[in-house]
Amino acid sequence: MTAGGERPAPETEGIVVTSRVRLARNIEGFPFPGWSRKPERLRVLEKILPTVEALPEMKGGASHAMDALAALDKQVLVEKHLISREHAGKNVGSAVVINRSETLAVMLNEEDHLRMQAIRPGFCLEKVYALVNEADTRLEEALPFAFSSKLGYLTACPTNVGTGMRASAMLHLPALVLADHMSKIISAVNKLGLAVRGLYGEGTEALGNLFQISNQMTLGEREADILGRLKNVVSEIARHEINARATLLEKSPRMLYDHIGRAYGVLAHARVISSKEGMNLLSMIHLGVALGAFGRLAAEDVDRLFMETQPAHLQRGRGRSRLSAEERDALRADLIRSVVGRGEPPKLDIPPPTGESPKTT
Amino acid sequence: MTAGGERPAPETEGIVVTSRVRLARNIEGFPFPGWSRKPERLRVLEKILPTVEALPEMKGGASHAMDALAALDKQVLVEKHLISREHAGKNVGSAVVINRSETLAVMLNEEDHLRMQAIRPGFCLEKVYALVNEADTRLEEALPFAFSSKLGYLTACPTNVGTGMRASAMLHLPALVLADHMSKIISAVNKLGLAVRGLYGEGTEALGNLFQISNQMTLGEREADILGRLKNVVSEIARHEINARATLLEKSPRMLYDHIGRAYGVLAHARVISSKEGMNLLSMIHLGVALGAFGRLAAEDVDRLFMETQPAHLQRGRGRSRLSAEERDALRADLIRSVVGRGEPPKLDIPPPTGESPKTT
């Protein structure tokens, strides 16, 4: 396995937004959560929750019974990618434990008894794997995981049997979308046994030009091989994005500037912005920042806005009365305008890159 | 006839964009242009062209045989509303004579032998009628107009028989469009025997929120009565527009500011703008100027841009090679950006009007 040893290219910065690995585990002798009744789910929870909470990684972290969390708080966790949309729908008998830095989250009684994930900004699949693997090893010492020497870890859904691992990277691919190359790339990636999904996982739209690439198979392959292959493909896609940016700058600068200019113009002056429009336009600002078009605006400012303008994040801290969609759209526009409109307009005379190895930063 | 004596309200400024009156006349003993062959059309032209050119109003003006005009020059005249789209399609045997200030234009061998029109900015139907009426009186002294003592002036199409007059006003009605009141108004206006059309007459879209209101009937009513009725209805619609602006400011300021802000943002920062988008967004800037949101931008700047970004106006003066649609869209964006983007962003904290008689200037 040579692939796993490669260092991520520095150009992928800002393109690979986050890296994530999750492991699915179950406890021997208990039915899977989907087949369990409430008393059984509670018994599993009683068995595993203290062990998870006692992990050294979880020191200073937070533990939530899903029935004790308000709908809004659940939604905030979904927007942070700390729990799944499915888990947000769970109630009595389910829980989540999250470490202090919000890089490690263990869902209890989601589809499996345990779904643990590590997530971090940037292109760092091995690092997040190491983090979740360490927690997994500790838990395995204390809990009787359902394991078959022939199949590997047993899971509620056959697609997770084996490693129980789903590794993924979230990529920001605005130039590939503008150049209309994504369907070609998605089909090529699918042929390599990897899945391409939208911002919130399976069946969701690629809002903000964000695409999640993950392994499909969990059986018959070692974790390191899966990670190595994913890493290679993600590097390859990131290189395509870099090339697409260079090509747009060289061949269609006006079209590119038009998208960035319009995004700036609308975000800096609109008074009503939907969540979807906000994400798609912030994506263009992010691209503009990466291309050096914005003097004062930093990529972090855009990332923060992206998160803070999600519906639940917007609602949070606005008192108890639930905001209407119109109120959120107004609040979102005001928030974005106060950040994007504060800076200077983009300087859209970006020179096309020269040489064979274009850099965008 | 008391209606005709009313003074136009000062608030209609900027709402009634132009006033126009055209008269259709034909020469006795010649077939209408649609039934004529080339030699007959040329004979009519020979008979009437020198008389039209000799009008004192036409001193210093221009006279064009339609077959001598390039397609681009014809299109420029259409965009200026000095000839009809139909007349631009004419060739040998048709002509147009235009006075120096481009307020009076006489088309020869359009649908009728003579189509003379006067057009001026603002709400001034009597004034433009007086202008075209004077030319008509002079021509009638020199030419045998086809006239029936029972029906009035005879024309190629029965809908023009009688006065041969079509009087119209072009209205800028962005608030009525935003408030979604236009279909109600159009249906009410139609019931009064008046027609509502788009920017370029019959069957055209109301681009830039511009609507042309004109009389339908030409038979059995005196010119002054037609003008008086049109004037009343136009005043009424303008008042509705003023009220709609006040209501938007009071009830939906954010929606209104959003439209104006977005229009500014896009026009000040886009690099590609289609003719249609340009007109629709400039309409919002015009509204913003009328509401006092723009410090430096004047209504005249917006009007000039509106005309100068029409396709033929854009092409004119760019050399002989015909611009592609893409090149025009780029040129249009650059031109608009250089004017709109030069000024300051709109101050969108317009206070709603107080009292019963809101003023928008």
Side-chain angles (χ1 to χ4, degrees):
Chain A
M1 200 209 62
T2 58
E6 285 183 11
R7 295 272 105 205
E11 295 97 353
T12 60
E13 206 186 300
I15 295 177
V16 184
V17 184
T18 52
S19 300
R20 178 152 60 140
V21 174
R22 73 114 170 96
L23 302 174
R25 300 289 184 256
N26 289 278
I27 310 298
E28 251 181 25
F30 288 88
F32 293 128
W35 281 262
S36 302
R37 289 170 180 275
K38 195 166 114 187
E40 292 167 318
R41 287 206 308 278
L42 285 170
R43 237 178 306 134
V44 170
L45 199 62
E46 259 172 55
K47 189 176 172 69
I48 56 182
L49 186 56
T51 318
V52 174
E53 288 174 339
L55 283 171
E57 289 90 338
M58 292 302 183
K59 197 177 168 194
S63 179
H64 308 282
M66 291 316 283
D67 52 322
L69 272 181
L72 178 65
D73 295 322
K74 290 178 175 180
Q75 199 48 43
V76 167
L77 293 178
V78 171
E79 290 173 2
K80 286 178 171 180
H81 294 281
L82 291 172
I83 64 171
S84 61
R85 287 188 300 172
E86 292 69 25
H87 205 55
K90 295 278 157 62
N91 239 304
V92 179
S94 291
V96 63
V97 184
I98 301 167
N99 74 345
R100 196 172 180 169
S101 59
E102 301 193 329
T103 53
L104 186 69
V106 182
M107 290 184 277
L108 307 178
N109 281 330
E110 201 244 23
E111 187 180 287
D112 296 293
H113 294 145
L114 286 140
R115 284 276 178 109
M116 39 193 137
Q117 75 153 29
I119 182 171
R120 271 183 170 282
F123 194 15
C124 51
L125 286 164
E126 278 114 349
K127 197 169 169 182
V128 289
Y129 176 67
L131 182 57
V132 75
N133 186 41
E134 204 172 335
D136 178 52
T137 305
R138 286 215 176 83
L139 289 174
E140 193 157 21
E141 285 164 8
L143 299 166
F145 283 169
F147 184 84
S148 143
S149 58
K150 195 178 162 202
L151 293 170
Y153 293 102
L154 302 176
T155 56
C157 179
T159 57
N160 291 315
V161 166
T163 58
M165 182 177 86
R166 181 86 68 227
S168 67
M170 185 77 79
L171 279 75
H172 183 229
L173 305 174
L176 288 173
V177 171
L178 286 180
D180 205 16
H181 287 170
M182 274 316 293
S183 56
K184 211 170 56 189
I185 285 179
I186 289 173
S187 121
V189 169
N190 287 343
K191 278 179 194 147
L192 293 168
L194 300 174
V196 184
R197 298 193 173 98
L199 181 57
Y200 290 114
E202 209 158 344
T204 64
E205 226 181 320
L207 292 169
N209 302 311
L210 289 169
F211 296 86
Q212 192 177 294
I213 319 286
S214 62
N215 64 307
Q216 293 267 42
M217 281 177 293
T218 54
L219 194 59
E221 220 177 355
R222 287 185 311 161
E223 285 86 347
D225 294 340
I226 296 172
L227 288 172
R229 203 151 45 92
L230 179 64
K231 201 169 143 180
N232 282 348
V233 172
V234 168
S235 297
E236 188 67 18
I237 297 174
R239 265 194 295 274
H240 278 299
E241 169 67 18
I242 291 164
N243 289 338
R245 291 179 186 187
T247 305
L248 284 176
L249 272 178
E250 208 185 316
K251 311 267 188 197
S252 334
R254 186 174 280 272
M255 183 265 257
L256 181 64
Y257 300 170
D258 187 55
H259 276 92
I260 298 172
R262 280 170 181 264
Y264 172 81
V266 171
L267 294 179
H269 299 287
R271 262 63 183 176
V272 180
I273 299 176
S274 74
S275 170
K276 185 173 166 173
E277 185 186 24
M279 287 194 265
N280 288 334
L281 296 185
L282 283 172
S283 162
M284 284 298 127
I285 301 293
H286 208 291
L287 176 60
V289 170
L291 296 175
F294 289 92
R296 292 201 200 152
L297 211 57
E300 296 75 48
D301 299 327
V302 185
D303 292 340
R304 204 176 313 118
L305 269 183
F306 195 92
M307 188 54 88
E308 291 300 327
T309 55
Q310 305 288 316
H313 276 76
L314 263 185
Q315 170 71 59
R316 194 178 54 164
R318 309 284 166 183
R320 266 180 239 168
S321 69
R322 196 162 165 68
L323 296 171
S324 67
E326 285 83 42
E327 287 169 324
R328 277 205 307 274
D329 290 352
L331 209 58
R332 181 179 294 112
D334 292 347
L335 182 58
I336 295 178
R337 201 168 68 253
S338 74
V339 175
V340 175
R342 176 187 67 195
E344 275 164 34
K347 288 197 175 47
L348 293 172
D349 46 6
I350 311 157
T354 50
E356 293 188 324
S357 164
K359 305 223 171 182
T360 56
T361 47
Chain B
M1 202 209 62
T2 57
E6 282 183 12
R7 294 273 105 206
E11 296 97 352
T12 60
E13 205 185 302
I15 295 178
V16 184
V17 184
T18 52
S19 299
R20 178 152 59 139
V21 174
R22 73 110 170 101
L23 303 174
R25 300 288 184 258
N26 289 278
I27 309 297
E28 251 181 23
F30 289 88
F32 293 127
W35 280 262
S36 303
R37 288 169 181 276
K38 196 166 114 187
E40 291 167 320
R41 288 206 308 277
L42 285 171
R43 239 178 304 136
V44 170
L45 198 63
E46 259 172 55
K47 190 176 170 72
I48 56 182
L49 185 58
T51 318
V52 174
E53 289 174 341
L55 284 170
E57 290 90 337
M58 292 303 182
K59 198 178 164 189
S63 178
H64 308 283
M66 291 316 283
D67 52 322
L69 273 180
L72 178 65
D73 295 322
K74 289 179 176 180
Q75 199 49 43
V76 167
L77 293 177
V78 171
E79 290 173 1
K80 287 180 170 178
H81 293 281
L82 291 172
I83 65 170
S84 62
R85 287 189 299 173
E86 291 70 27
H87 205 54
K90 295 278 156 63
N91 239 305
V92 178
S94 291
V96 62
V97 185
I98 301 167
N99 73 345
R100 196 170 179 171
S101 59
E102 301 193 329
T103 52
L104 185 68
V106 182
M107 290 184 277
L108 306 179
N109 280 332
E110 202 243 22
E111 187 180 287
D112 296 294
H113 294 144
L114 285 141
R115 283 276 179 110
M116 39 193 139
Q117 75 153 31
I119 183 170
R120 271 183 170 284
F123 194 15
C124 50
L125 285 165
E126 278 114 348
K127 197 170 168 179
V128 289
Y129 176 67
L131 182 57
V132 75
N133 186 41
E134 202 171 338
D136 177 53
T137 305
R138 284 214 178 84
L139 289 173
E140 193 157 21
E141 286 164 10
L143 298 167
F145 283 169
F147 185 84
S148 143
S149 58
K150 196 179 163 199
L151 294 170
Y153 292 102
L154 302 177
T155 56
C157 179
T159 56
N160 291 314
V161 166
T163 58
M165 182 177 86
R166 181 87 66 225
S168 67
M170 185 76 81
L171 278 75
H172 182 229
L173 305 174
L176 288 173
V177 171
L178 286 180
D180 204 14
H181 288 170
M182 273 316 293
S183 56
K184 211 169 59 191
I185 285 179
I186 289 173
S187 121
V189 169
N190 287 343
K191 278 180 194 147
L192 293 168
L194 300 174
V196 183
R197 299 193 172 98
L199 180 56
Y200 290 114
E202 210 158 344
T204 64
E205 226 181 320
L207 292 168
N209 301 312
L210 290 169
F211 295 86
Q212 191 178 292
I213 319 287
S214 63
N215 63 306
Q216 293 266 42
M217 281 178 291
T218 54
L219 193 60
E221 220 177 354
R222 288 185 310 161
E223 285 86 348
D225 294 340
I226 296 172
L227 288 172
R229 203 150 46 94
L230 178 64
K231 200 168 145 182
N232 281 348
V233 171
V234 167
S235 297
E236 187 66 17
I237 298 173
R239 265 193 294 274
H240 278 300
E241 169 67 19
I242 291 165
N243 289 338
R245 292 179 184 186
T247 305
L248 285 176
L249 272 178
E250 207 185 318
K251 312 267 187 196
S252 334
R254 187 174 279 272
M255 183 265 258
L256 180 64
Y257 300 170
D258 187 55
H259 276 93
I260 298 172
R262 281 170 181 264
Y264 173 81
V266 170
L267 294 179
H269 299 287
R271 261 64 182 174
V272 180
I273 299 177
S274 73
S275 170
K276 184 173 167 174
E277 184 185 24
M279 287 194 265
N280 288 334
L281 296 184
L282 283 173
S283 162
M284 284 298 128
I285 302 293
H286 209 290
L287 176 60
V289 169
L291 296 175
F294 289 92
R296 291 200 201 154
L297 210 58
E300 295 75 46
D301 299 327
V302 185
D303 293 340
R304 205 176 312 117
L305 269 182
F306 194 92
M307 188 54 86
E308 290 301 327
T309 55
Q310 305 288 315
H313 275 75
L314 265 185
Q315 170 72 60
R316 197 178 51 165
R318 310 283 164 183
R320 266 180 239 167
S321 69
R322 196 163 164 69
L323 297 171
S324 67
E326 286 82 41
E327 288 168 325
R328 276 205 308 274
D329 290 353
L331 209 57
R332 182 179 294 111
D334 291 347
L335 182 57
I336 295 178
R337 201 168 69 253
S338 73
V339 176
V340 175
R342 176 186 69 196
E344 277 164 33
K347 289 198 173 50
L348 293 172
D349 46 6
I350 311 158
T354 49
E356 294 187 322
S357 163
K359 305 221 172 184
T360 56
T361 46

